Amino acid sequence: MMQSRGIRATRTALDSLKHMNNGCCKSRGRRPKNTFVVSGMNASDAFRPGIDRRASASFHDDEDDGGDTARHSRGFREPVSVNKQSSSTKPGNTRQSVVSTTQSVLVSVVVPFIYFSESSSTLNGNIVREITETWTVITLKMKWSILAVIFNGLLIVLLSKLRVGVQTSIDESIIQNYGGVIVELVLLICNIITIWSLEEAASCIFGYLLCQKSGFSLAACGFLQTPSFAKLPFSQTLSLTSPSRKILARISIIWIIAEFLKLITPFSAISLNSVLWSEYNDVSSCAYFAQDNTIGPVDRMWPTLNTEVGVGEYVFGSSLGIMRSEVSGVNVTTAQYPPSLISSLNNGDTIQGPGFTADISTMCECSTGLDVASLVAAGVDAAQGNATYNNFASLQGKTGITFGLVHDLESITISNVLSGFNTCGGVATVPFLPLVCSTRIYNHMNAVLEIQFMTDGTTASIAPNTVSLVELSGPADIGTWLSFAMNAILNGPTFGYELPPTVPGSLSTLLWWTSPNLIAVDRALVEAGIETMYAILFKGEYT
């Protein structure tokens, strides 16, 4: 409404000024016809607080011969009138007066009307301020909430990566000396910004509720002005009948939790640790083996079963593959044979190359007697029953084990009879009944494997640490190559082998994974331990 009036009044004023410039104001002491007289604020009053930002305009339509003047006026406050020049004005000053009048009209009329046509409007005689919010204004008002979301999101991503380690080019000593301080500062800054964002978000929500028809308690204003730990006591001081008491008391817990999180930041800072990480792309000297059918398998007479007993003394289960005796939740052992190292490396160095994998599964059962039929019923191959019984009898009750190997194109099955271990029949049983285990090796595959080594800095201390699968390359020949190697290392197809301890009073190293204390065989660990024993032999077969 005010905008249309302002434009109309301005246009009329300009028309009147144009008429005055044409000489109409030179009449003899009379107000020219259709002279527009403006009353209103000046430019400085337009922006002064407390002033009613309205202007008035009076339109004088002079009748002929100095008749009565009809005045149509709008209400105003603090009017400033701009009238025509008096009849006594000298002709020489008429142009200057008109120019002065023109400037006054433009300052008093055009500026105020243009300003209020953009920022306010008249509704039923009252001034209503128009609020225009752009996305820039909203973003600036919500800056702490936006920053809190960004910083906390980045912290979550960073902490998830720190659980497995983050590689940086920073010196290890800098992380150890200053890393904890930096982490502490970052966590505290994020905590402070989060608390600011809580205040900001709560003010938006309370403002929205206050503008609703149902309204909201003005106690929210005091609630936001109190410190974090004082918000709960503040909400409890409200009247018991106040509908805002419960909700303010509950949301005040959020501020208290945010403040208590500061107590955890020192623990996060001191838990930061760094280790030296080196990565080399040099070519190391290593040996790998392939199944070349043009040559065929050849027995090099080394390694032997005796040497593999020595290997079991220093080998780590993690370097053999995925061992059921080492990894919980695994039902089948997967033996992995990576490339062999023949040069010196640093601690933690890793090599990749072709190798082999195979799954190993073992089941054990107590024999019901000391005869061929009982051994066959417990798992010994029927064609090898007599040979296995003779090998078992030749051990004469000493600690040892028998091997009986059969194979086809897809798997190898090996039967074992344990001698000298009281794992079946109880202490009072005479003679001791043997434990018979049947092991199946299958799913033989070509693969690319990665092996990590560990050392204390000397060449003699280099040992394989962890092996992992990179990718499978396809099935390997188990009927020709693996069965030949296993038969060669076990002196098969049937063989009886005594297992004397390397340390008096302890088990042979091949059976260490069958015992919880390296002294006695535990029936519950025998199956997983036998699988680890064959993983050691599997590694020696291709070597």
Side-chain angles (χ1 to χ4, degrees):
M1 176 180 289
M2 180 62 74
Q3 181 178 0
S4 60
R5 291 172 181 168
I7 295 174
R8 185 165 55 251
T10 305
R11 184 181 298 112
T12 307
L14 294 176
D15 292 341
S16 300
L17 292 173
K18 182 179 180 181
H19 183 69
M20 293 170 66
N21 285 330
N22 291 331
C24 295
C25 61
K26 297 180 180 180
S27 59
R28 47 182 180 83
R30 296 182 57 191
R31 183 182 294 119
K33 283 189 176 182
N34 298 330
T35 302
F36 186 81
V37 181
V38 177
S39 298
M41 298 176 294
N42 55 31
S44 61
D45 291 335
F47 300 91
R48 184 183 303 169
I51 300 300
D52 189 358
R53 294 174 173 82
R54 289 176 290 181
S56 65
S58 298
F59 184 78
H60 301 277
D61 190 3
D62 292 350
E63 302 294 339
D64 292 337
D65 297 329
D68 297 334
T69 300
R71 180 185 293 267
H72 304 280
S73 176
R74 302 291 179 184
F76 63 91
R77 185 180 301 172
E78 295 185 6
V80 178
S81 299
V82 180
N83 299 319
K84 70 181 184 62
Q85 296 293 324
S86 63
S87 58
S88 62
T89 304
K90 295 181 180 181
N93 296 331
T94 302
R95 178 71 61 180
Q96 182 178 358
S97 301
V98 171
V99 174
S100 177
T101 304
T102 304
Q103 293 175 351
S104 231
V105 169
L106 291 177
V107 171
S108 301
V109 179
V110 178
V111 175
F113 274 113
I114 290 177
Y115 174 76
F116 290 109
S117 65
E118 292 179 350
S119 61
S120 63
S121 62
T122 303
L123 182 63
N124 297 329
N126 298 323
I127 300 299
V128 179
R129 184 178 298 275
E130 295 179 3
I131 301 176
T132 302
E133 290 187 346
T134 62
W135 283 110
T136 303
V137 176
I138 296 174
T139 302
L140 292 177
K141 294 295 183 182
M142 300 292 294
K143 58 181 178 298
W144 297 123
S145 299
I146 297 174
L147 288 176
V149 172
I150 295 175
F151 287 167
N152 286 282
L154 293 176
L155 272 181
I156 292 174
V157 174
L158 178 61
L159 292 177
S160 64
K161 292 183 177 297
L162 285 176
R163 296 180 60 183
V164 296
V166 176
Q167 296 183 19
T168 63
S169 300
I170 304 175
D171 187 72
E172 182 184 8
S173 61
I174 297 178
I175 298 296
Q176 293 177 352
N177 296 331
Y178 307 106
V181 178
I182 296 175
V183 171
E184 175 72 11
L185 290 176
V186 170
L187 293 178
L188 288 178
I189 291 174
C190 289
N191 182 269
I192 293 173
I193 293 177
T194 302
I195 295 175
W196 288 350
S197 68
L198 289 177
E199 303 282 352
E200 192 176 71
S203 63
C204 294
I205 296 175
F206 289 148
Y208 172 78
L209 294 176
L210 287 170
C211 295
Q212 296 300 305
K213 183 177 181 180
S214 58
F216 194 75
S217 174
L218 291 177
C221 300
F223 178 82
L224 290 177
Q225 296 177 11
T226 56
S228 299
F229 288 106
K231 292 184 184 297
L232 182 59
F234 174 85
S235 59
Q236 292 176 345
T237 58
L238 299 178
S239 174
L240 294 176
T241 59
S242 174
S244 306
R245 176 187 173 95
K246 181 183 294 185
I247 186 171
L248 292 180
R250 289 179 177 178
I251 64 175
S252 62
I253 303 298
I254 301 176
W255 275 267
I256 297 176
I257 294 175
E259 293 289 350
F260 272 115
L261 287 177
K262 294 179 181 178
L263 301 177
I264 307 177
T265 56
F267 297 99
S268 301
I270 63 178
S271 63
L272 185 67
N273 189 22
S274 63
V275 293
L276 184 63
W277 173 267
S278 300
E279 183 175 351
Y280 301 97
N281 294 323
D282 297 336
V283 178
S284 301
S285 299
C286 58
Y288 66 91
F289 298 88
Q291 296 178 350
D292 189 355
N293 292 325
T294 59
I295 300 176
V298 177
D299 185 6
R300 299 188 300 147
M301 308 302 295
W302 190 92
T304 63
L305 193 56
N306 292 330
T307 60
E308 291 305 301
V309 172
V311 170
E313 190 170 354
Y314 65 84
V315 73
F316 294 94
S318 58
S319 67
L320 300 174
I322 305 174
M323 302 292 103
R324 184 155 65 113
S325 59
E326 299 278 339
V327 183
S328 60
V330 176
N331 296 324
V332 177
T333 293
T334 300
Q336 297 173 340
Y337 176 67
S340 299
L341 178 68
I342 57 176
S343 65
S344 60
L345 290 176
N346 296 319
N347 183 49
D349 284 354
T350 303
I351 61 174
Q352 289 184 357
F356 304 98
T357 66
D359 292 338
I360 303 175
S361 177
T362 299
M363 295 183 63
C364 297
E365 183 178 346
C366 290
S367 175
T368 58
L370 291 176
D371 54 82
V372 175
S374 298
L375 295 179
V376 171
V380 175
D381 185 80
Q384 298 176 344
N386 292 325
T388 301
Y389 177 79
N390 293 332
N391 292 330
F392 177 77
S394 64
L395 294 174
Q396 299 178 356
K398 300 176 182 179
T399 56
I401 189 172
T402 66
F403 299 97
L405 185 147
V406 294
H407 70 89
D408 53 27
L409 296 178
E410 295 182 355
S411 64
I412 298 174
T413 303
I414 306 172
S415 60
N416 304 112
V417 181
L418 273 68
S419 172
F421 303 101
N422 186 21
T423 54
C424 297
V427 178
T429 303
V430 179
F432 297 138
L433 296 177
L435 180 66
V436 179
C437 296
S438 179
T439 300
R440 182 170 177 261
I441 304 175
Y442 61 100
N443 195 24
H444 189 33
M445 302 289 291
N446 293 304
V448 177
L449 298 169
E450 180 181 270
I451 180 71
Q452 183 187 61
F453 294 88
M454 60 186 303
T455 178
D456 60 3
T458 61
T459 305
S461 65
I462 296 177
N465 185 14
T466 305
V467 64
S468 57
L469 175 67
V470 178
E471 63 177 351
L472 294 175
S473 305
D477 189 350
I478 193 172
T480 303
W481 288 85
L482 187 57
S483 61
F484 176 86
M486 186 65 72
N487 188 73
I489 202 170
L490 295 179
N491 299 318
T494 60
F495 180 65
Y497 183 70
E498 188 176 345
L499 292 173
T502 55
V503 177
S506 66
L507 290 173
S508 173
T509 55
L510 282 181
L511 298 180
W512 273 2
W513 283 268
T514 64
S515 172
N517 53 15
L518 307 183
I519 297 176
V521 174
D522 189 343
R523 177 63 182 86
L525 303 178
V526 170
E527 295 176 349
I530 293 295
E531 293 175 1
T532 303
M533 179 188 71
Y534 280 108
I536 297 174
L537 298 178
F538 172 77
K539 190 172 183 178
E541 292 162 8
Y542 280 103
T543 305

